[in-house]
Amino acid sequence: MGKLIRLELFNFKSYKGHHVMLFGDSYFTSIIGPNGSGKSNSMDAISFVLGIKSSHLRSAQLRDLVYRGRVLKTSKINADGTATDQADGGVENGANGHTNGNGEAGSGDEVMQAGSQRNDPQTAWVMAVYEDDAGEEIRWRRSITSSGQSEYRINNRVVGAKQYNEALEEQNILIKARNFLVFQGDVEAIASQSPKDLTRLIEQISGSLEYKADYDRLKIEADKAAEEQNFMLNQRRGVNSEIKQYQEQKREADNYQKKVEEHDEAIVTHVLYKLFNFQRVMEESGAEIQRHQEELKEFRRSVEKYETNLAEAQRNQAKASKDVNQLQRNIRQKEKDADDKTNELLPVDEKIAVLKDKQKKSLTKIATFEKEKDEPMNNIKKLQKDLDGVQKAQQRYEQERAKLLRQEGYQLSPADLSEYENLTKQVARRTGDDQNAVNDLSRQLRTDGDTVNNLKRNLDIAQANLVTNDGEIEKLVNQQKDRQTQAKAATKDFEMRKKEMNKIKSENLKTEQMITEKNEKLYEVLRQIETMTQAQNMSMKERQDREMVAKLKRLFPGVRGRLFELCRPKQKKYELAVTLALGRENDSIVVDTHKAAEDCLHYLKTHHIGKARMLPLDTVQYKAPNPNLKGLHKGMRLAVDVIDYDHAYERAVYSACSNTMVCDDLDIAKYLCYQKKIEAKAVTLDGNVIAKGGSMTGGRGKDDHVRVSSRTYDDTEIQNLRDLAEKYQSELSTLGAQRRSSKSQAELENLSSEAAGLESNLQYLSKEIKGLDYNLESERAKRNRNSNAVADIQPKYSEQAAGLEGLRIALKKHQEAIAAVQDQVFAQFCSRLGFPNIRTYMEQQGTARQEASTELANFRQQISRLNQGIQFAQSVISEKDGRINKLKYDADNSKQAIGVLEQERGEIVGSMDVLNAEMEQFREEMARLNEVLEQRQQKVQEARRELQKRSKNIEAVNKDIATLDAEMARNAAGRYALLKRSKIDGTRIPLKEGSSGLEILPLEDLGDEDTMDLDDEDNPSQMVPTIKDYGIDVDFDDLDDDYKEEMSERDAQKKEAQLQDDISSLASQLEKLNPNMRAIDRLNSTETRLKTIERDFDASRRAAKRAKDDFDDVKAQRYELFHKAFSHISEQIGSVYRDLTKSANFPAGGQAYLDIEDSDEPYLSGVRYHAMPPLKRFRDMEHLSGGEKSIAALALLFAVHSHQPSPFFVLDEVDAALDNANVAKVAGYVKQHARPGMQFIVISLKMGMFVNSETLVGIMRDQGANSSRALTLDLRKYQEG
């Protein structure tokens, strides 16, 4: 074999321009390179040039394999050498997320346009240079044209794809087998293959897979031909058997016809005998009735007066009874109206009680608040009195002070006064700054003093308000506790009433549950009785139908049986669905021909055995199932597909089922019928049916699965159930009486009324508690505000008071400075006038003013405090007045509502009084009418007794007439029934000339009205009964005189029994004969049909032989190819696995073998691969570790390659999952087997692999050129050195 010496690439995937990968004369070449360099693209290049489809090369189309520089430049290079577009934020561009082999998806025009816009190449090619055994080079080249098509060349000569593949196969490079390429991930895929997948791999390698389609097709044809041959054989046997039967039946037909004539004659005699007796009895009875009616006329004339009296008395009694009934209805209506008014009165009384209680509480609160107003009003009076006293004292003080100043005032001389003023100006000039400071400090001292006084006053008010708030809060808390106590008591009473109500309801519910339970048990028992009775009837009917079908089978050839007996569901779950699918044809009898159906129906009609529906196979109309419906839904299948039946009955099954669908559930059925609009009947597994027209029926019928569970029941079981039903009925009557006699309903109504009142009271208390909560919350909020005011004012007051003291000290300092200047300036002035200093003079005047100012300030402070007290008391009174006004408003509203309700109550009570008065009048009238009715009843009884005394003779005659009348009616009915039976059975009764035929006789049961017309008893003009004979006049001339003679009843019974015995004897003989009256016609047609079947059988036998021979040829070829490949691989797998697993510690290595599940046709079953690593037992692949699986998979790949080996073996990173030790073993194996005829090209990143190779092909990425590049290095010279 030759070898691959180099690979040339042009614009292929990540390789821009022309690149060469040299393999030279080495037989172990490793292709290495970093992730993203494009080394895996070299594997794609080898696969591409060897004819592998682009779908196996990580590409959607051939154009994706052409180099695209812009995409590579703006993409991220992945570990496998593929490119991911980053232009859109790293989102992979293309159908598979690859570029240059995994590139952008899109139409060819779009790719060409994009390529032209970025000046990317439009074509690419790969050429493999191969050197054969003779040393000649063969150049295989595959190109991608600008139109996206492949072009194949051999030695630069354009060839077709087929010729290209043939040239490769000449060098043992089998493209279909692909046993020379191991792609990335193939090892893991093979390691996880199932036995079936391994079988398919061997079929692909061996080439036997090409025969699979022919094998499957010919197998179906052979099976079908064999089935057709067996069918024709069975048909021929059946026809031969029919011929023998018809020959025997022909001999029986003549004897049977003779017996039929005798049987018909005996039936006519019997009918004539009975009709003659009916006619004679009716004539005699009619004559006797005529005689009795003549006597009756005489008796009636004598009692007409008493009948008139009785009729009059009865009319009076009916009138009185009508009046009594009318009055009773009126009384019941009034009682009902009175009850309604009573019910209306209860809620009104409850509302009045609640409103009065509310009004009373409002008035109580008003009184309480009025009392609470007394204290602040008294305070106002006291404070006002104090305020008046203070104001009068202030006026007296101001008057006395003015008078005192006038009396004790001091007067300077004009000169002294002038000197005083000059000195004062001098002091002012010298102490200007101090005077200004004193003035400023004085002003500020007055301002701050007012501020401190205001803060003190506000602090006192807030503290007083706190005390008031605490008192109000305490009062509200006490009221709240009182209302809560009342609410708890009311709640307790309400819960107690509720418990009592629940107890009564529970007892009533228990009684109702017992009644319901008894009713359910009674219903179940009645259902069981019905089921048992029905089962008895169905069992009897089923037995009769089976006997009828068996009898027809014995009498008439070609009767196959009932349809449900000839077919059965393929699975048990389809039983109900098949029964519904067959529908009315379920019990139909399948026969071969239409003639057989007519014979069977005539026999059933003649012998009155029963009714049946026939399905003749030769004429039955049917519609073949629509093949498009198959597989329409995974939960639906055609009814004919779930029924197992003989092919001979196909027409009958198609006629019954046609396109009927069997669905797993109702949802699928509705989807197909209503949404998919399929016009076909649909049945579900649980018994629902959707008709072709869209109507739906559901559930299970009473007769479902009758044949599946055919248990019979005896009378004892049914009687026991009936006794049990009577017991339940008795218990139900007792419970019903207990429920009607119970007083619990009245108690429940009383408790309900009391509970409603308590609930209303609770609602009122709840509202009041909520109001107290609101008031308490409001009062607490006020207290919080006052408390916050105290906390806010107290520090301000302390701070302002401290600042005021500082101002006083500063003021004193400046005043002392001014005093020193004054002493110096006023020294001579004071000495001359006799004052110690000028301030003495000024103090006399200033002290008086200061005392007056202080006194007046005290007066103002007292007046302010008293005014604030008055304002606070007025605010309290105002707040109380607001509450009192609200309560008065509520009380007025309650009073108005009470007035309205009282008026409504008065109206109701008035209506009740009127109703009671009317009922009292009705009762008095009832007593009077009862007396009248009783009197008239007595008169009726007296009139009846008088009439009875005189009507005994009439009663006796009427009794005789009724007896005779009944006798006539009975015989007329018997005559009609016998004539109708004769009409139905086709019995030929002799009739007189001019008589109507039996065809006018109605078949409906018209009763006495149609058999006989009796005269009205009260109409003496029509007293003769007439018989309705429909114009039929029977001719009794053919009846023997022995049967016409009048005889005793005993003799008549004997004669009747004799006739019945004759008919039964003849019928018994006929039943034993059971001939086929159409045997001669059947015999001729069957012999003709046999000739046709013989010809068809010979043709089917020849066709079956041809199909079997063709199938055996393909089977042998497929088996030979598969077995040859399997044998070779099985022989090689052991040694290969041993070479891959042996080591210094385990020189023997491991063991492996292949096992076929089916040795006759191995390609139809699985092939199991067992491996036993060193020092371990044999295991299936799935039980090995990851590394062991990889080694076992590689061993299988090497063994597979050894079958029809190609000259080279390309492996793409098969050592990715192996550890270093196993990599070294695989590398050693490759190196050992690399020789002429076996060239290894391995793509690997493992040093343990490529250091053992002879040649290295390095793949790198040229960032400047934006392309992959390849460098070749021959390692042998370094290894030799």
Side-chain angles (χ1 to χ4, degrees):
M1 290 187 181
K3 62 183 176 182
L4 192 65
I5 59 177
R6 71 176 180 273
L7 186 70
E8 298 184 18
L9 300 88
F10 179 75
N11 291 335
F12 183 80
K13 296 191 83 171
S14 60
Y15 294 87
K16 178 182 180 182
H18 184 261
H19 296 268
V20 179
M21 294 184 188
L22 294 175
F23 305 132
D25 58 352
S26 67
Y27 292 98
F28 182 8
T29 302
S30 292
I31 299 176
I32 64 174
N35 288 333
S37 60
K39 60 181 181 299
S40 291
N41 290 338
S42 61
M43 177 71 172
D44 293 341
I46 296 173
S47 304
F48 173 74
V49 75
L50 295 179
I52 302 300
K53 294 181 179 179
S54 62
S55 58
H56 297 290
L57 304 178
R58 302 174 293 169
S59 300
Q61 52 187 349
L62 285 174
R63 283 198 182 95
D64 295 337
L65 301 177
V66 180
Y67 172 84
R68 284 179 291 176
R70 184 190 65 82
V71 175
L72 286 173
K73 190 173 183 179
T74 60
S75 300
K76 174 185 176 183
I77 305 302
N78 300 322
D80 59 351
T82 61
T84 302
D85 192 1
Q86 292 181 324
D88 297 328
V91 178
E92 292 184 353
N93 189 7
N96 301 326
H98 299 302
T99 303
N100 276 340
N102 309 307
E104 298 173 351
S107 65
D109 295 338
E110 292 172 348
V111 174
M112 290 180 64
Q113 184 178 358
S116 62
Q117 289 176 355
R118 59 176 179 255
N119 298 321
D120 282 346
Q122 301 297 311
T123 61
W125 54 263
V126 178
M127 183 173 66
V129 179
Y130 178 80
E131 184 181 87
D132 59 12
D133 294 337
E136 296 181 0
E137 287 188 356
I138 301 175
R139 299 171 182 261
W140 291 308
R141 173 172 163 174
R142 182 182 178 186
S143 304
I144 302 173
T145 65
S146 59
S147 61
Q149 303 297 323
S150 288
E151 181 186 81
Y152 299 94
R153 292 175 181 266
I154 301 177
N155 294 329
N156 207 26
R157 181 171 55 87
V158 178
V159 297
K162 182 178 179 181
Q163 187 177 355
Y164 192 83
N165 289 336
E166 290 175 353
L168 291 173
E169 289 176 359
E170 289 177 0
Q171 302 300 325
N172 216 29
I173 302 173
L174 305 177
I175 302 301
K176 293 181 181 179
R178 281 175 51 197
N179 60 337
F180 57 89
L181 298 173
V182 180
F183 288 94
Q184 204 172 8
D186 283 357
V187 174
E188 290 79 2
I190 291 175
S192 60
Q193 277 185 339
S194 65
K196 282 282 189 182
D197 295 332
L198 189 54
T199 301
R200 185 172 180 83
L201 175 64
I202 296 176
E203 274 210 281
Q204 183 179 358
I205 297 301
S206 64
S208 65
L209 189 61
E210 298 179 7
Y211 291 94
K212 183 179 185 303
D214 293 338
Y215 175 91
D216 294 339
R217 176 179 57 79
L218 292 174
K219 181 175 177 60
I220 294 173
E221 292 177 358
D223 292 342
K224 185 175 181 181
E227 183 180 355
E228 184 68 21
Q229 180 186 2
N230 291 334
F231 173 74
M232 297 304 302
L233 177 62
N234 291 331
Q235 232 182 7
R236 187 181 69 169
R237 291 174 180 173
V239 172
N240 286 326
S241 176
E242 289 180 17
I243 290 174
K244 292 179 182 179
Q245 290 179 358
Y246 292 144
Q247 291 172 348
E248 180 65 25
Q249 290 170 1
K250 181 179 178 300
R251 290 189 291 270
E252 297 176 356
D254 298 334
N255 186 30
Y256 177 79
Q257 188 62 37
K258 181 179 178 181
K259 293 292 182 182
V260 168
E261 293 174 357
E262 294 177 1
H263 179 263
D264 292 341
E265 185 178 353
I267 290 175
V268 171
T269 302
H270 181 232
V271 171
L272 288 175
Y273 170 71
K274 294 185 71 175
L275 289 174
F276 180 81
N277 286 331
F278 287 146
Q279 186 72 25
R280 182 176 60 192
V281 171
M282 287 189 293
E283 291 175 355
E284 293 175 354
S285 299
E288 191 67 19
I289 288 173
Q290 180 69 26
R291 185 179 62 79
H292 283 304
Q293 285 183 347
E294 292 296 330
E295 295 177 357
L296 191 60
K297 290 178 182 179
E298 296 296 329
F299 290 138
R300 280 183 172 173
R301 281 194 288 270
S302 64
V303 297
E304 285 180 356
K305 174 184 176 182
Y306 297 99
E307 288 177 346
T308 302
N309 293 337
L310 177 60
E312 181 65 25
Q314 287 176 338
R315 284 194 294 273
N316 293 334
Q317 178 190 0
K319 185 176 182 303
S321 177
K322 180 179 179 183
D323 294 340
V324 170
N325 291 334
Q326 181 62 39
L327 195 56
Q328 286 177 344
R329 286 195 294 272
N330 293 338
I331 291 174
R332 285 196 294 271
Q333 182 62 38
K334 294 299 180 183
E335 289 176 346
K336 181 177 180 299
D337 294 341
D339 291 340
D340 294 341
K341 292 296 181 181
T342 302
N343 293 333
E344 292 177 9
L345 191 61
L346 287 174
V348 172
D349 289 339
E350 291 172 4
K351 291 179 181 178
I352 290 173
V354 171
L355 289 172
K356 284 184 176 181
D357 185 56
K358 182 178 180 182
Q359 183 185 28
K360 180 181 177 182
K361 290 178 179 178
S362 297
L363 294 175
T364 302
K365 288 183 179 180
I366 289 171
T368 301
F369 289 146
E370 290 289 352
K371 290 179 181 180
E372 292 176 353
K373 281 174 56 179
D374 293 342
E375 181 180 353
M377 291 180 67
N378 292 332
N379 289 338
I380 289 174
K381 292 178 181 179
K382 181 178 179 299
L383 292 172
Q384 188 65 44
K385 183 178 180 182
D386 294 342
L387 179 62
D388 293 340
V390 171
Q391 289 175 345
K392 289 178 181 179
Q394 182 181 2
Q395 291 176 359
R396 285 196 302 270
Y397 173 77
E398 289 177 350
Q399 293 173 359
E400 291 175 356
R401 180 176 175 277
K403 183 179 180 182
L404 182 62
L405 288 175
R406 288 194 300 271
Q407 293 175 356
E408 298 181 356
Y410 184 80
Q411 293 293 112
L412 293 177
S413 63
D416 293 335
L417 184 57
S418 176
E419 184 180 2
Y420 173 79
E421 291 176 355
N422 292 328
L423 292 173
T424 301
K425 291 178 182 179
Q426 185 179 357
V427 170
R429 285 194 299 272
R430 295 177 60 183
T431 61
D433 294 337
D434 290 330
Q435 286 287 353
N436 291 333
V438 168
N439 291 334
D440 292 339
L441 289 172
S442 297
R443 283 195 303 272
Q444 186 164 355
L445 190 61
R446 286 194 300 271
T447 302
D448 291 351
D450 292 338
T451 302
V452 169
N453 291 333
N454 289 333
L455 289 173
K456 182 68 169 66
R457 183 169 59 254
N458 292 336
L459 182 61
D460 293 339
I461 293 172
Q463 289 174 345
N465 289 339
L466 277 177
V467 174
T468 303
N469 293 146
D470 290 338
E472 287 294 325
I473 289 172
E474 183 179 2
K475 185 187 299 183
L476 291 172
V477 168
N478 292 334
Q479 291 178 357
Q480 188 184 45
K481 289 181 180 179
D482 180 48
R483 300 300 182 273
Q484 288 176 347
T485 303
Q486 295 177 7
K488 287 181 181 178
T491 302
K492 184 177 181 182
D493 292 341
F494 177 74
E495 293 296 333
M496 186 181 302
R497 300 296 188 280
K498 198 171 180 181
K499 286 181 181 178
E500 293 177 0
M501 289 170 60
N502 291 337
K503 181 179 179 182
I504 293 174
K505 288 181 180 178
S506 177
E507 293 175 354
N508 292 341
L509 180 61
K510 184 176 180 182
T511 303
E512 293 296 332
Q513 287 177 346
M514 291 177 65
I515 292 174
T516 302
E517 182 180 354
K518 296 297 181 184
N519 278 322
E520 290 176 353
K521 290 182 178 178
L522 176 62
Y523 172 77
E524 181 62 25
V525 170
L526 293 176
R527 189 190 64 76
Q528 292 179 7
I529 292 173
E530 182 182 4
T531 301
M532 290 181 177
T533 306
Q534 183 184 10
Q536 282 186 333
N537 296 335
M538 290 299 298
S539 178
M540 184 181 299
K541 183 178 183 302
E542 181 69 17
R543 186 167 58 252
Q544 292 174 353
D545 291 345
R546 284 200 301 269
E547 292 174 356
M548 177 183 69
V549 173
K551 186 176 294 184
L552 292 176
K553 284 183 177 179
R554 291 195 303 270
L555 292 175
F556 303 101
V559 177
R560 301 299 183 179
R562 288 179 290 181
L563 182 59
F564 80 88
E565 295 172 340
L566 300 177
C567 59
R568 62 181 183 276
K570 293 183 178 180
Q571 298 183 32
K572 187 174 180 62
K573 67 177 182 178
Y574 296 128
E575 286 182 349
L576 178 57
V578 169
T579 301
L580 297 174
L582 295 177
R584 65 175 185 172
E585 307 294 356
N586 203 39
D587 292 315
S588 297
I589 300 175
V590 179
V591 296
D592 286 343
T593 63
H594 181 73
K595 190 64 177 175
E598 290 181 344
D599 293 342
C600 292
L601 291 175
H602 178 73
Y603 177 79
L604 294 175
K605 179 178 179 181
T606 303
H607 294 81
H608 310 292
I609 297 176
K611 295 181 179 179
R613 182 178 177 86
M614 299 293 174
L615 285 175
L617 295 175
D618 60 342
T619 60
V620 65
Q621 298 295 322
Y622 73 94
K623 184 178 180 182
N626 186 357
N628 295 328
L629 297 179
K630 294 186 178 181
L632 195 60
H633 193 283
K634 65 179 181 180
M636 182 277 290
R637 56 209 56 80
L638 291 176
V640 296
D641 293 337
V642 302
I643 301 175
D644 193 6
Y645 57 89
D646 192 285
H647 185 71
Y649 311 128
E650 183 178 68
R651 293 170 63 92
V653 175
Y654 281 3
S655 174
C657 297
S658 186
N659 289 328
T660 300
M661 302 176 293
V662 177
C663 304
D664 291 346
D665 52 46
L666 185 59
D667 292 337
I668 297 175
K670 290 194 291 187
Y671 168 75
L672 294 173
C673 292
Y674 298 149
Q675 296 186 23
K676 299 294 287 184
K677 305 294 185 182
I678 297 176
E679 295 184 358
K681 177 181 177 183
V683 299
T684 64
L685 300 182
D686 55 356
N688 294 304
V689 180
I690 300 180
K692 186 176 180 180
S695 61
M696 184 189 303
T697 56
R700 297 190 179 212
K702 296 180 179 179
D703 300 338
D704 291 348
H705 299 308
V706 169
R707 298 185 181 92
V708 178
S709 61
S710 57
R711 180 190 169 191
T712 58
Y713 303 91
D714 56 20
D715 295 336
T716 304
E717 291 180 277
I718 298 177
Q719 186 59 41
N720 291 337
L721 287 175
R722 285 174 178 162
D723 294 340
L724 185 58
E726 291 179 359
K727 176 185 174 184
Y728 288 148
Q729 288 173 346
S730 176
E731 292 176 354
L732 283 171
S733 299
T734 303
L735 290 172
Q738 290 177 358
R739 180 173 58 180
R740 289 191 297 272
S741 63
S742 175
K743 297 181 180 179
S744 58
Q745 188 62 31
E747 296 176 4
L748 187 62
E749 291 177 358
N750 292 334
L751 289 171
S752 177
S753 177
E754 293 176 4
L758 289 170
E759 187 175 12
S760 178
N761 189 24
L762 274 174
Q763 291 176 356
Y764 174 74
L765 288 172
S766 177
K767 290 180 181 178
E768 193 169 4
I769 290 172
K770 287 182 180 178
L772 290 172
D773 288 340
Y774 175 77
N775 293 337
L776 186 59
E777 183 178 356
S778 177
E779 201 63 39
R780 285 173 176 163
K782 290 180 182 178
R783 189 190 184 286
N784 289 335
R785 287 196 296 271
N786 291 326
S787 178
N788 292 334
V790 170
D792 183 47
I793 294 171
Q794 186 71 48
K796 291 181 181 179
Y797 171 72
S798 301
E799 182 181 356
Q800 290 292 336
L804 191 62
E805 187 63 29
L807 289 174
R808 290 193 181 100
I809 295 171
L811 179 61
K812 185 179 179 181
K813 180 180 178 182
H814 288 291
Q815 287 175 343
E816 289 176 352
I818 292 171
V821 175
Q822 287 176 341
D823 290 341
Q824 183 180 359
V825 173
F826 284 97
Q828 294 178 358
F829 180 80
C830 290
S831 175
R832 181 169 57 80
L833 293 178
F835 291 106
N837 51 53
I838 192 60
R839 287 182 299 281
T840 303
Y841 170 76
M842 296 173 66
E843 284 176 2
Q844 289 177 354
Q845 300 298 322
T847 301
R849 287 195 297 271
Q850 183 67 29
E851 289 176 357
S853 178
T854 302
E855 192 66 26
L856 289 175
N858 290 334
F859 282 126
R860 285 195 297 272
Q861 184 176 3
Q862 290 181 22
I863 291 172
S864 177
R865 180 176 58 79
L866 292 172
N867 283 330
Q868 288 178 355
I870 292 172
Q871 291 175 359
F872 175 74
Q874 288 175 345
S875 67
V876 173
I877 292 172
S878 178
E879 189 266 338
K880 297 294 182 184
D881 287 337
R883 292 190 180 184
I884 289 171
N885 291 333
K886 184 178 181 305
L887 290 171
K888 285 181 178 180
Y889 177 76
D890 293 341
D892 292 340
N893 287 340
S894 298
K895 184 177 180 181
Q896 292 176 3
I898 290 171
V900 174
L901 291 173
E902 287 287 356
Q903 183 180 357
E904 183 180 352
R905 185 179 187 281
E907 293 174 357
I908 295 172
V909 171
S911 299
M912 291 176 64
D913 292 340
V914 172
L915 290 172
N916 289 330
E918 291 176 353
M919 283 191 291
E920 188 62 31
Q921 292 176 0
F922 285 156
R923 291 191 183 98
E924 292 176 358
E925 182 67 18
M926 176 63 74
R928 186 184 67 78
L929 290 177
N930 283 332
E931 293 177 0
V932 173
L933 180 60
E934 186 176 355
Q935 292 173 1
R936 293 184 179 180
Q937 286 176 346
Q938 291 176 358
K939 289 181 180 181
V940 169
Q941 291 176 359
E942 291 175 0
R944 186 177 287 113
R945 283 195 296 270
E946 290 295 328
L947 181 61
Q948 288 176 353
K949 289 178 183 179
R950 292 164 177 79
S951 300
K952 289 183 180 179
N953 293 331
I954 294 177
E955 291 178 359
V957 174
N958 280 330
K959 185 176 181 181
D960 293 340
I961 291 175
T963 302
L964 293 170
D965 189 22
E967 184 68 20
M968 283 189 70
R970 187 164 52 252
N971 283 274
R975 180 179 183 274
Y976 168 78
L978 189 58
L979 290 174
K980 184 174 73 172
R981 179 71 177 273
S982 300
K983 177 183 177 181
I984 295 173
D985 295 345
T987 304
R988 298 176 181 177
I989 299 175
L991 302 175
K992 291 182 180 181
E993 187 177 355
S995 170
S996 300
L998 293 182
E999 62 274 5
I1000 70 169
L1001 188 72
L1003 296 181
E1004 294 82 2
D1005 189 5
L1006 302 178
D1008 292 342
E1009 182 180 352
D1010 288 336
T1011 59
M1012 189 171 182
D1013 186 12
L1014 296 179
D1015 295 331
D1016 189 0
E1017 184 179 345
D1018 295 332
N1019 191 351
S1021 63
Q1022 296 179 0
M1023 302 176 65
V1024 180
T1026 58
I1027 299 172
K1028 193 169 185 179
D1029 56 7
Y1030 300 98
I1032 298 173
D1033 192 3
V1034 181
D1035 186 2
F1036 296 106
D1037 293 342
D1038 294 339
L1039 187 65
D1040 292 343
D1041 294 338
D1042 294 341
Y1043 296 110
K1044 295 180 181 179
E1045 294 178 356
E1046 189 173 356
M1047 60 188 72
S1048 64
E1049 184 177 354
R1050 184 175 180 182
D1051 292 339
Q1053 292 177 353
K1054 288 183 179 179
K1055 187 68 71 174
E1056 174 78 14
Q1058 180 184 351
L1059 290 172
Q1060 290 284 5
D1061 290 342
D1062 292 343
I1063 294 172
S1064 299
S1065 176
L1066 290 171
S1068 177
Q1069 294 176 23
L1070 287 173
E1071 288 182 0
K1072 292 178 181 178
L1073 292 176
N1074 292 330
N1076 181 4
M1077 303 305 295
R1078 304 291 181 182
I1080 297 176
D1081 296 338
R1082 290 290 182 85
L1083 181 61
N1084 295 332
S1085 63
T1086 305
E1087 288 175 346
T1088 303
R1089 187 154 53 95
L1090 178 62
K1091 294 177 182 178
T1092 303
I1093 292 175
E1094 287 285 357
R1095 289 194 300 271
D1096 294 341
F1097 173 71
D1098 292 339
S1100 65
R1101 184 173 55 187
R1102 290 191 297 272
K1105 185 177 185 303
R1106 284 196 304 272
K1108 186 176 184 302
D1109 292 342
D1110 294 342
F1111 172 70
D1112 289 341
D1113 291 343
V1114 172
K1115 177 181 176 181
Q1117 294 175 8
R1118 186 179 184 185
Y1119 176 82
E1120 181 180 359
L1121 290 173
F1122 185 90
H1123 187 266
K1124 180 179 178 182
F1126 175 80
S1127 299
H1128 175 82
I1129 295 170
S1130 182
E1131 291 174 359
Q1132 294 294 321
I1133 190 67
S1135 59
V1136 173
Y1137 185 74
R1138 185 166 52 253
D1139 292 343
L1140 287 175
T1141 54
K1142 67 183 179 180
S1143 62
N1145 295 329
F1146 307 106
Q1151 299 182 31
Y1153 68 93
L1154 298 176
D1155 183 21
I1156 296 179
E1157 295 179 352
D1158 183 2
S1159 58
D1160 294 334
E1161 292 186 276
Y1163 37 78
L1164 298 181
S1165 59
V1167 174
R1168 292 193 172 274
Y1169 179 22
H1170 304 278
M1172 185 181 73
L1175 297 181
K1176 293 186 178 180
R1177 60 184 177 86
F1178 276 108
R1179 299 182 182 179
D1180 290 337
M1181 289 289 287
E1182 61 266 19
H1183 297 139
L1184 298 176
S1185 65
E1188 292 171 346
K1189 283 184 181 179
S1190 298
I1191 291 295
L1194 283 171
L1196 180 61
L1197 286 173
F1198 290 142
V1200 167
H1201 181 264
S1202 66
H1203 176 68
Q1204 295 181 346
S1206 63
F1208 49 83
F1209 199 13
V1210 185
L1211 307 173
D1212 186 3
E1213 295 192 29
V1214 297
D1215 55 356
L1218 300 178
D1219 56 14
N1220 293 332
N1222 286 324
V1223 170
K1225 293 177 181 178
V1226 174
Y1229 178 86
V1230 172
K1231 187 174 183 180
Q1232 179 182 355
H1233 291 81
R1235 58 182 179 272
M1238 179 59 76
Q1239 179 186 12
F1240 285 92
I1241 300 174
V1242 181
I1243 300 174
S1244 175
L1245 288 175
K1246 297 291 182 72
M1247 183 177 294
M1249 176 64 74
F1250 60 74
V1251 296
N1252 292 293
S1253 61
E1254 298 174 352
T1255 301
L1256 281 181
V1257 176
I1259 306 298
M1260 67 176 183
R1261 182 155 183 84
D1262 188 344
Q1263 297 295 341
N1266 194 21
S1267 170
S1268 298
R1269 292 182 58 189
L1271 300 175
T1272 302
L1273 178 64
D1274 191 347
L1275 298 179
R1276 286 173 292 184
K1277 57 185 179 180
Y1278 302 104
Q1279 292 170 352
E1280 292 173 358

